[in-house]
Protein backbone atom coordinates (compact mmCIF):
# COMPACT_ATOMS: atom_id res chain seq x y z
CA UNK A 1 0.00 0.00 0.00
CA UNK A 2 1.52 3.39 -0.96
CA UNK A 3 2.22 5.80 1.85
CA UNK A 4 2.40 9.58 1.77
CA UNK A 5 5.58 10.44 3.58
CA UNK A 6 6.56 14.12 3.81
CA UNK A 7 6.45 17.46 2.04
CA UNK A 8 3.81 20.13 1.45
CA UNK A 9 0.93 18.15 2.89
CA UNK A 10 -0.61 20.52 5.43
CA UNK A 11 -4.01 22.12 4.71
CA UNK A 12 -2.41 25.58 4.31
CA UNK A 13 -0.63 24.24 1.21
CA UNK A 14 -3.71 22.81 -0.50
CA UNK A 15 -4.50 26.03 -2.41
CA UNK A 16 -1.01 25.98 -3.95
CA UNK A 17 -1.60 22.38 -5.07
CA UNK A 18 -5.00 23.30 -6.57
CA UNK A 19 -3.53 26.32 -8.37
CA UNK A 20 -0.81 24.06 -9.81
CA UNK A 21 -3.38 21.55 -11.07
CA UNK A 22 -5.63 24.23 -12.57
CA UNK A 23 -2.72 25.85 -14.40
CA UNK A 24 -1.49 22.45 -15.62
CA UNK A 25 -4.90 21.47 -17.00
CA UNK A 26 -5.36 24.90 -18.57
CA UNK A 27 -2.03 24.93 -20.39
CA UNK A 28 -0.85 21.35 -20.87
CA UNK A 29 -2.49 18.68 -23.04
CA UNK A 30 -0.95 15.84 -21.04
CA UNK A 31 -2.51 16.95 -17.76
CA UNK A 32 -5.79 17.96 -19.37
CA UNK A 33 -6.25 14.28 -20.25
CA UNK A 34 -4.90 12.89 -16.97
CA UNK A 35 -7.11 15.11 -14.77
CA UNK A 36 -10.28 14.31 -16.69
CA UNK A 37 -13.00 13.46 -14.14
CA UNK A 38 -10.99 14.65 -11.12
CA UNK A 39 -12.44 17.39 -8.88
CA UNK A 40 -9.61 19.92 -8.85
CA UNK A 41 -11.49 22.33 -6.57
CA UNK A 42 -11.19 19.78 -3.77
CA UNK A 43 -7.80 18.34 -4.74
CA UNK A 44 -5.64 17.21 -1.79
CA UNK A 45 -2.45 15.16 -1.42
CA UNK A 46 -4.70 12.19 -0.59
CA UNK A 47 -6.20 12.50 -4.10
CA UNK A 48 -2.73 12.11 -5.58
CA UNK A 49 -2.24 9.06 -3.42
CA UNK A 50 -5.51 7.45 -4.45
CA UNK A 51 -4.83 8.12 -8.17
CA UNK A 52 -1.25 6.88 -8.16
CA UNK A 53 -1.95 4.28 -10.85
CA UNK A 54 -3.48 6.76 -13.30
CA UNK A 55 -2.34 10.29 -12.40
CA UNK A 56 1.41 10.13 -12.97
CA UNK A 57 4.19 10.98 -15.41
CA UNK A 58 7.40 9.10 -16.25
CA UNK A 59 10.80 10.26 -17.56
CA UNK A 60 10.03 8.87 -21.02
CA UNK A 61 6.86 10.99 -21.20
CA UNK A 62 9.12 14.05 -21.16
CA UNK A 63 10.23 13.37 -24.73
CA UNK A 64 6.70 14.17 -25.92
CA UNK A 65 7.29 17.91 -25.85
CA UNK A 66 4.09 18.80 -27.72
CA UNK A 67 1.91 17.28 -24.98
CA UNK A 68 4.06 17.75 -21.87
CA UNK A 69 5.40 21.31 -22.23
CA UNK A 70 2.85 24.01 -21.26
CA UNK A 71 1.55 26.44 -23.90
CA UNK A 72 3.27 29.39 -22.23
CA UNK A 73 6.59 27.60 -22.72
CA UNK A 74 6.01 26.43 -26.30
CA UNK A 75 4.69 29.86 -27.32
CA UNK A 76 7.64 31.60 -25.66
CA UNK A 77 5.27 33.80 -23.64
CA UNK A 78 7.91 33.97 -20.89
CA UNK A 79 11.68 33.68 -20.82
CA UNK A 80 13.11 30.27 -20.03
CA UNK A 81 16.35 28.40 -20.38
CA UNK A 82 16.67 24.71 -21.24
CA UNK A 83 18.63 22.39 -18.99
CA UNK A 84 19.80 18.99 -20.10
CA UNK A 85 19.81 15.76 -18.16
CA UNK A 86 20.91 12.38 -19.45
CA UNK A 87 18.97 10.32 -16.91
CA UNK A 88 18.75 6.60 -17.63
CA UNK A 89 16.31 6.63 -20.54
CA UNK A 90 18.89 6.31 -23.31
CA UNK A 91 18.86 9.88 -24.63
CA UNK A 92 19.03 13.38 -23.15
CA UNK A 93 15.94 14.98 -21.64
CA UNK A 94 15.63 18.73 -22.11
CA UNK A 95 13.77 20.55 -19.37
CA UNK A 96 12.46 24.17 -19.56
CA UNK A 97 13.53 26.22 -16.55
CA UNK A 98 11.88 29.56 -15.79
CA UNK A 99 12.57 32.44 -13.43
CA UNK A 100 9.83 31.02 -11.19
CA UNK A 101 11.71 27.70 -11.09
CA UNK A 102 14.74 29.66 -9.89
CA UNK A 103 12.64 31.20 -7.10
CA UNK A 104 11.34 27.76 -6.21
CA UNK A 105 14.82 26.26 -5.94
CA UNK A 106 15.76 29.20 -3.70
CA UNK A 107 12.86 28.31 -1.40
CA UNK A 108 14.10 24.72 -1.33
CA UNK A 109 17.54 25.98 -0.28
CA UNK A 110 16.35 28.33 2.47
CA UNK A 111 16.30 25.87 5.43
CA UNK A 112 19.92 24.79 5.15
CA UNK A 113 21.34 28.01 3.67
CA UNK A 114 19.98 30.09 6.55
CA UNK A 115 21.53 27.77 9.11
CA UNK A 116 24.82 26.64 7.61
CA UNK A 117 26.12 29.29 5.16
CA UNK A 118 27.86 32.37 6.51
CA UNK A 119 28.80 35.74 5.09
CA UNK A 120 32.07 35.47 3.20
CA UNK A 121 31.83 31.74 2.50
CA UNK A 122 33.77 30.56 -0.54
CA UNK A 123 31.92 27.84 -2.41
CA UNK A 124 33.89 25.49 -4.68
CA UNK A 125 31.34 23.82 -6.94
CA UNK A 126 32.20 20.71 -8.93
CA UNK A 127 28.65 20.60 -10.29
CA UNK A 128 28.69 21.02 -14.07
CA UNK A 129 27.51 24.39 -15.45
CA UNK A 130 24.90 24.89 -18.16
CA UNK A 131 23.37 23.03 -19.83
CA UNK A 132 23.42 20.80 -16.75
CA UNK A 133 20.54 21.33 -14.32
CA UNK A 134 22.67 20.97 -11.18
CA UNK A 135 24.92 23.88 -12.08
CA UNK A 136 22.15 26.35 -12.85
CA UNK A 137 20.18 25.31 -9.76
CA UNK A 138 23.15 25.67 -7.42
CA UNK A 139 24.24 29.05 -8.74
CA UNK A 140 20.73 30.39 -9.46
CA UNK A 141 19.22 29.42 -6.13
CA UNK A 142 21.97 31.10 -4.12
CA UNK A 143 21.87 34.18 -6.32
CA UNK A 144 18.11 34.48 -5.85
CA UNK A 145 18.53 34.30 -2.07
CA UNK A 146 21.15 37.04 -2.14
CA UNK A 147 23.64 34.92 -0.22
CA UNK A 148 26.69 37.01 0.70
CA UNK A 149 29.18 34.44 -0.52
CA UNK A 150 31.31 33.76 -3.60
CA UNK A 151 30.62 30.82 -5.93
CA UNK A 152 33.61 29.32 -7.76
CA UNK A 153 32.91 26.93 -10.63
CA UNK A 154 35.69 24.31 -10.64
CA UNK A 155 36.03 22.23 -13.83
CA UNK A 156 35.17 18.62 -13.07
CA UNK A 157 38.14 17.52 -15.20
CA UNK A 158 40.46 18.81 -12.45
CA UNK A 159 39.49 15.76 -10.35
CA UNK A 160 41.80 13.76 -12.65
CA UNK A 161 44.58 16.37 -12.46
CA UNK A 162 45.69 16.40 -8.81
CA UNK A 163 48.40 19.08 -9.13
CA UNK A 164 46.11 21.53 -10.96
CA UNK A 165 43.25 20.71 -8.58
CA UNK A 166 45.27 21.45 -5.45
CA UNK A 167 46.68 24.64 -6.99
CA UNK A 168 43.14 25.80 -7.83
CA UNK A 169 41.81 25.05 -4.34
CA UNK A 170 44.77 26.74 -2.65
CA UNK A 171 43.82 29.87 -4.58
CA UNK A 172 40.11 29.58 -3.68
CA UNK A 173 40.57 28.38 -0.08
CA UNK A 174 36.98 27.03 -0.09
CA UNK A 175 34.88 26.83 3.03
CA UNK A 176 31.99 25.07 1.25
CA UNK A 177 32.11 22.22 -1.27
CA UNK A 178 29.36 21.27 -3.76
CA UNK A 179 29.94 17.95 -5.52
CA UNK A 180 28.68 14.52 -6.42
CA UNK A 181 28.67 12.10 -3.49
CA UNK A 182 31.57 10.00 -4.77
CA UNK A 183 33.61 13.10 -5.63
CA UNK A 184 33.45 14.36 -2.03
CA UNK A 185 34.66 11.02 -0.70
CA UNK A 186 37.53 10.84 -3.19
CA UNK A 187 38.57 14.44 -2.47
CA UNK A 188 38.84 13.47 1.18
CA UNK A 189 41.51 10.96 0.18
CA UNK A 190 43.41 13.29 -2.19
CA UNK A 191 43.47 16.78 -0.69
CA UNK A 192 46.09 18.06 1.76
CA UNK A 193 45.00 18.58 5.36
CA UNK A 194 45.06 22.38 5.31
CA UNK A 195 42.46 22.52 2.51
CA UNK A 196 40.27 19.87 4.15
CA UNK A 197 40.39 21.64 7.51
CA UNK A 198 38.94 24.85 5.99
CA UNK A 199 35.78 23.08 4.80
CA UNK A 200 32.75 23.53 7.07
CA UNK A 201 29.95 22.42 4.72
CA UNK A 202 29.94 19.68 2.09
CA UNK A 203 26.84 19.55 -0.08
CA UNK A 204 26.53 16.31 -2.03
CA UNK A 205 23.97 14.83 -4.38
CA UNK A 206 23.42 12.86 -7.55
CA UNK A 207 24.43 9.52 -6.06
CA UNK A 208 23.37 7.36 -3.14
CA UNK A 209 24.75 8.33 0.27
CA UNK A 210 24.57 5.76 3.04
CA UNK A 211 25.44 6.56 6.64
CA UNK A 212 28.54 4.40 6.30
CA UNK A 213 29.81 6.42 3.33
CA UNK A 214 28.92 9.67 5.10
CA UNK A 215 30.94 8.60 8.12
CA UNK A 216 33.90 7.62 5.95
CA UNK A 217 33.75 11.01 4.18
CA UNK A 218 33.52 13.04 7.40
CA UNK A 219 36.51 11.22 8.87
CA UNK A 220 38.63 12.99 6.23
CA UNK A 221 37.05 16.43 6.78
CA UNK A 222 37.49 17.12 10.51
CA UNK A 223 35.45 20.36 10.67
CA UNK A 224 32.69 19.67 8.14
CA UNK A 225 29.05 18.63 8.11
CA UNK A 226 27.32 17.03 5.11
CA UNK A 227 24.14 18.29 3.49
CA UNK A 228 22.81 15.30 1.55
CA UNK A 229 20.49 16.55 -1.20
CA UNK A 230 17.99 14.60 -3.26
CA UNK A 231 17.43 16.52 -6.48
CA UNK A 232 15.99 16.09 -9.93
CA UNK A 233 16.35 18.25 -13.02
CA UNK A 234 12.57 18.34 -13.33
CA UNK A 235 11.83 19.57 -9.80
CA UNK A 236 14.96 21.10 -8.32
CA UNK A 237 16.49 20.38 -4.92
CA UNK A 238 13.61 18.19 -3.82
CA UNK A 239 14.83 17.13 -0.38
CA UNK A 240 17.76 17.21 2.00
CA UNK A 241 19.10 15.98 5.33
CA UNK A 242 22.05 17.04 7.47
CA UNK A 243 24.71 14.58 8.64
CA UNK A 244 27.30 15.30 11.29
CA UNK A 245 29.77 12.97 12.97
CA UNK A 246 27.23 12.29 15.71
CA UNK A 247 23.77 12.81 14.20
CA UNK A 248 21.69 12.41 11.04
CA UNK A 249 18.49 14.40 10.62
CA UNK A 250 15.39 13.13 8.86
CA UNK A 251 14.89 13.91 5.18
CA UNK A 252 12.93 17.13 4.65
CA UNK A 253 11.03 17.99 1.46
CA UNK A 254 10.11 21.69 1.84
CA UNK A 255 8.43 22.42 -1.51
CA UNK A 256 7.24 19.09 -2.94
CA UNK A 257 4.75 16.35 -2.17
CA UNK A 258 6.45 12.95 -1.96
CA UNK A 259 4.56 9.68 -2.25
CA UNK A 260 6.11 6.28 -1.64
CA UNK A 261 4.84 3.01 -3.06
CA UNK A 262 6.19 -0.22 -1.66
CA UNK A 263 7.72 -2.82 -3.97
CA UNK A 264 5.63 -5.98 -4.05
CA UNK A 265 8.48 -8.49 -3.83
CA UNK A 266 8.89 -9.57 -0.20
CA UNK A 267 12.67 -9.60 -0.47
CA UNK A 268 12.71 -5.86 -1.21
CA UNK A 269 10.06 -4.78 1.27
CA UNK A 270 12.25 -1.97 2.67
CA UNK A 271 12.46 -0.34 -0.80
CA UNK A 272 9.75 2.05 -2.00
CA UNK A 273 9.26 3.78 -5.34
CA UNK A 274 9.52 7.56 -5.09
CA UNK A 275 6.91 9.81 -6.75
CA UNK A 276 7.38 13.59 -6.84
CA UNK A 277 4.71 16.26 -7.15
CA UNK A 278 5.96 19.77 -7.92
CA UNK A 279 3.81 22.45 -6.30
CA UNK A 280 3.75 25.99 -7.66
CA UNK A 281 2.67 29.05 -5.70
CA UNK A 282 -0.17 31.29 -6.88
CA UNK A 283 0.91 33.26 -9.94
CA UNK A 284 3.98 31.16 -10.77
CA UNK A 285 4.69 29.52 -14.12
CA UNK A 286 7.26 26.74 -13.85
CA UNK A 287 8.75 24.94 -16.81
CA UNK A 288 7.06 21.60 -16.19
CA UNK A 289 4.02 20.86 -14.00
CA UNK A 290 4.59 17.44 -12.41
CA UNK A 291 2.20 15.19 -10.52
CA UNK A 292 3.34 11.83 -9.16
CA UNK A 293 6.52 11.92 -11.24
CA UNK A 294 7.72 8.33 -11.29
CA UNK A 295 11.36 9.25 -11.34
CA UNK A 296 12.56 5.67 -10.88
CA UNK A 297 14.48 6.36 -7.69
CA UNK A 298 13.86 4.28 -4.58
CA UNK A 299 13.68 5.12 -0.90
CA UNK A 300 15.01 2.68 1.65
CA UNK A 301 12.60 2.89 4.57
CA UNK A 302 13.24 1.54 8.06
CA UNK A 303 10.80 2.00 10.94
CA UNK A 304 8.83 4.53 8.95
CA UNK A 305 11.85 6.74 8.16
CA UNK A 306 13.75 7.20 4.90
CA UNK A 307 17.28 5.96 5.56
CA UNK A 308 18.64 6.62 2.08
CA UNK A 309 17.44 7.44 -1.41
CA UNK A 310 18.80 5.15 -4.08
CA UNK A 311 19.17 6.67 -7.51
CA UNK A 312 17.74 4.40 -10.21
CA UNK A 313 21.12 4.32 -11.92
CA UNK A 314 22.71 2.96 -8.73
CA UNK A 315 21.58 -0.61 -9.36
CA UNK A 316 22.55 -3.51 -11.59
CA UNK A 317 20.63 -6.58 -12.65
CA UNK A 318 22.10 -10.03 -12.08
CA UNK A 319 19.66 -12.30 -13.94
CA UNK A 320 16.40 -11.97 -12.00
CA UNK A 321 17.91 -10.18 -8.99
CA UNK A 322 18.84 -6.55 -8.38
CA UNK A 323 22.02 -5.53 -6.58
CA UNK A 324 21.74 -1.99 -5.18
CA UNK A 325 24.80 0.20 -4.85
CA UNK A 326 23.83 1.30 -1.34
CA UNK A 327 24.10 -2.33 -0.16
CA UNK A 328 27.68 -2.51 -1.39
CA UNK A 329 28.54 0.93 0.05
CA UNK A 330 27.22 -0.03 3.49
CA UNK A 331 29.30 -3.21 3.51
CA UNK A 332 32.59 -1.83 2.16
CA UNK A 333 32.67 1.10 4.55
CA UNK A 334 32.36 -1.13 7.58
CA UNK A 335 36.07 -1.82 7.15
CA UNK A 336 38.47 1.07 7.97
CA UNK A 337 41.16 -0.36 5.70
CA UNK A 338 38.88 -0.32 2.62
CA UNK A 339 38.84 3.18 1.14
CA UNK A 340 37.37 2.86 -2.36
CA UNK A 341 35.53 0.51 -4.69
CA UNK A 342 34.08 0.28 -8.19
CA UNK A 343 31.77 -2.20 -9.89
CA UNK A 344 32.57 -3.49 -13.36
CA UNK A 345 29.22 -4.55 -14.77
CA UNK A 346 28.91 -6.92 -17.72
CA UNK A 347 25.17 -6.75 -18.51
CA UNK A 348 23.04 -9.31 -20.27
CA UNK A 349 23.38 -8.97 -24.04
CA UNK A 350 23.47 -11.18 -27.16
CA UNK A 351 27.24 -11.42 -26.71
CA UNK A 352 27.03 -12.06 -22.96
CA UNK A 353 24.32 -14.55 -21.93
CA UNK A 354 25.40 -14.47 -18.26
CA UNK A 355 25.45 -11.04 -16.53
CA UNK A 356 28.47 -10.48 -14.31
CA UNK A 357 29.53 -7.98 -11.66
CA UNK A 358 33.11 -7.55 -10.49
CA UNK A 359 33.29 -5.54 -7.27
CA UNK A 360 36.83 -4.21 -6.97
CA UNK A 361 37.64 -2.93 -3.47
CA UNK A 362 40.75 -0.98 -2.55
CA UNK A 363 42.64 -1.42 0.72
CA UNK A 364 45.33 0.61 2.49
CA UNK A 365 48.28 -1.18 4.03
CA UNK A 366 48.15 -4.97 4.24
CA UNK A 367 45.40 -6.85 2.43
CA UNK A 368 42.77 -7.98 4.99
CA UNK A 369 42.73 -11.77 5.13
CA UNK A 370 39.63 -13.37 3.61
CA UNK A 371 38.08 -10.02 2.73
CA UNK A 372 36.68 -11.17 -0.66
CA UNK A 373 34.74 -14.08 0.82
CA UNK A 374 33.55 -11.92 3.71
CA UNK A 375 32.14 -9.21 1.43
CA UNK A 376 30.43 -11.77 -0.79
CA UNK A 377 28.83 -13.47 2.20
CA UNK A 378 27.55 -10.15 3.55
CA UNK A 379 26.01 -9.29 0.16
CA UNK A 380 24.29 -12.67 0.08
CA UNK A 381 23.15 -12.30 3.67
CA UNK A 382 21.45 -9.00 2.86
CA UNK A 383 20.10 -9.96 -0.57
CA UNK A 384 18.76 -13.49 -0.94
CA UNK A 385 17.69 -13.06 -4.59
CA UNK A 386 21.30 -12.31 -5.57
CA UNK A 387 22.50 -15.39 -3.67
CA UNK A 388 19.98 -17.52 -5.52
CA UNK A 389 20.77 -16.20 -9.01
CA UNK A 390 24.52 -16.39 -8.53
CA UNK A 391 25.11 -19.38 -6.26
CA UNK A 392 22.15 -21.69 -6.88
CA UNK A 393 20.78 -21.07 -10.36
CA UNK A 394 24.20 -19.98 -11.70
CA UNK A 395 22.54 -17.56 -14.13
CA UNK A 396 24.85 -14.73 -13.10
CA UNK A 397 28.34 -14.20 -11.71
CA UNK A 398 29.56 -12.11 -8.79
CA UNK A 399 33.30 -11.63 -8.29
CA UNK A 400 35.00 -9.73 -5.47
CA UNK A 401 38.54 -8.45 -6.04
CA UNK A 402 40.63 -6.77 -3.33
CA UNK A 403 43.49 -4.62 -4.68
CA UNK A 404 45.74 -1.84 -3.31
CA UNK A 405 43.76 1.42 -3.20
CA UNK A 406 45.81 3.09 -5.93
CA UNK A 407 44.87 0.31 -8.38
CA UNK A 408 41.09 0.40 -7.90
CA UNK A 409 40.48 2.70 -10.86
CA UNK A 410 43.17 1.39 -13.18
CA UNK A 411 42.09 0.19 -16.61
CA UNK A 412 38.44 1.20 -16.25
CA UNK A 413 36.28 1.99 -19.30
CA UNK A 414 36.75 5.61 -20.39
CA UNK A 415 33.37 6.71 -19.04
CA UNK A 416 31.32 5.48 -16.12
CA UNK A 417 28.06 3.79 -16.94
CA UNK A 418 25.22 4.26 -14.51
CA UNK A 419 27.12 6.18 -11.84
CA UNK A 420 30.66 7.17 -10.91
CA UNK A 421 31.13 3.77 -9.29
CA UNK A 422 29.44 1.49 -11.83
CA UNK A 423 31.34 1.00 -15.10
CA UNK A 424 29.55 -0.87 -17.86
CA UNK A 425 31.49 -3.27 -20.06
CA UNK A 426 29.59 -4.01 -23.27
CA UNK A 427 26.03 -2.99 -24.12
CA UNK A 428 23.36 -2.75 -21.43
CA UNK A 429 20.09 -3.81 -23.07
Amino acid sequence: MPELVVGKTSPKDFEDLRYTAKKAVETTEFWKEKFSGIDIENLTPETLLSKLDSLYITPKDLYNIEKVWPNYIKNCDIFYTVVRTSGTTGQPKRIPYTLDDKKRVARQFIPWVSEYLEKGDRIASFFPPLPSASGIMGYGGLEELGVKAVYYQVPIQFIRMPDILISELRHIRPTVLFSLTTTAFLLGLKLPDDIKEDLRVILVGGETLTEELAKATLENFPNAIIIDTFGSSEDGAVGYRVITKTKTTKFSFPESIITLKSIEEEEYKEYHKVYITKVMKEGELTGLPLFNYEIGDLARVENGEIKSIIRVKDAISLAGATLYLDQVISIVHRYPSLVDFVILYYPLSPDNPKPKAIIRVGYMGEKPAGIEDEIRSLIYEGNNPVRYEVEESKQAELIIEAVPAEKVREGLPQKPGKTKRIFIVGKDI
Side-chain angles (χ1 to χ4, degrees), residues 27-28 65 67-75 96 286-289:
T27 63
T28 311
I65 287 174
K67 291 191 71 172
V68 171
W69 284 21
N71 293 336
Y72 55 79
I73 292 290
K74 292 186 294 184
N75 296 339
T286 63
L288 287 180

Side-chain angles (χ1 to χ4, degrees), residues 117 121-125 174-178 199-203:
L117 289 197
D121 267 331
R122 299 178 297 279
I123 303 165
S125 174
T175 55
V176 180
L177 174 68
F178 286 6
L199 286 161
R200 295 184 302 98
V201 177
I202 301 172
L203 183 140

Side-chain angles (χ1 to χ4, degrees), residues 65-93:
I65 287 174
E66 280 305 308
K67 291 191 71 172
V68 171
W69 284 21
N71 293 336
Y72 55 79
I73 292 290
K74 292 186 294 184
N75 296 339
C76 223
D77 293 334
I78 59 174
F79 174 80
Y80 65 94
T81 190
V82 178
V83 297
R84 182 180 185 276
T85 174
S86 57
T88 55
T89 51
Q91 66 186 77
K93 300 191 298 288

Side-chain angles (χ1 to χ4, degrees), residues 170-227:
R170 285 206 191 284
H171 174 77
I172 297 171
R173 300 305 303 193
T175 55
V176 180
L177 174 68
F178 286 6
S179 75
L180 292 172
T181 305
T182 302
T183 301
F185 172 73
L186 293 176
L187 287 174
L189 302 176
K190 294 179 179 180
L191 296 180
D193 288 343
D194 63 314
I195 293 177
K196 292 189 290 188
E197 288 169 0
D198 283 347
L199 286 161
R200 295 184 302 98
V201 177
I202 301 172
L203 183 140
V204 299
E207 298 164 315
T208 303
L209 178 67
T210 65
E211 291 195 30
E212 291 82 4
L213 179 54
K215 180 180 178 183
T217 301
L218 287 174
E219 283 177 355
N220 290 311
F221 293 95
N223 303 314
I225 59 103
I226 289 176
I227 299 172

Side-chain angles (χ1 to χ4, degrees), residues 99-118:
L99 294 177
D100 287 332
D101 285 306
K102 180 180 170 184
K103 294 175 184 175
R104 191 168 181 280
V105 169
R107 293 197 300 268
Q108 292 170 323
F109 281 5
I110 285 173
W112 58 264
V113 165
S114 61
E115 185 164 355
Y116 297 105
L117 289 197
E118 299 176 355

Side-chain angles (χ1 to χ4, degrees), residues 262-279:
S262 60
I263 295 177
E264 294 179 359
E265 290 87 344
E266 177 65 22
E267 297 90 347
Y268 301 117
K269 61 184 178 182
E270 70 269 34
Y271 292 98
H272 293 67
K273 291 183 180 179
V274 176
Y275 295 80
I276 301 170
T277 295
K278 177 178 180 176
V279 182

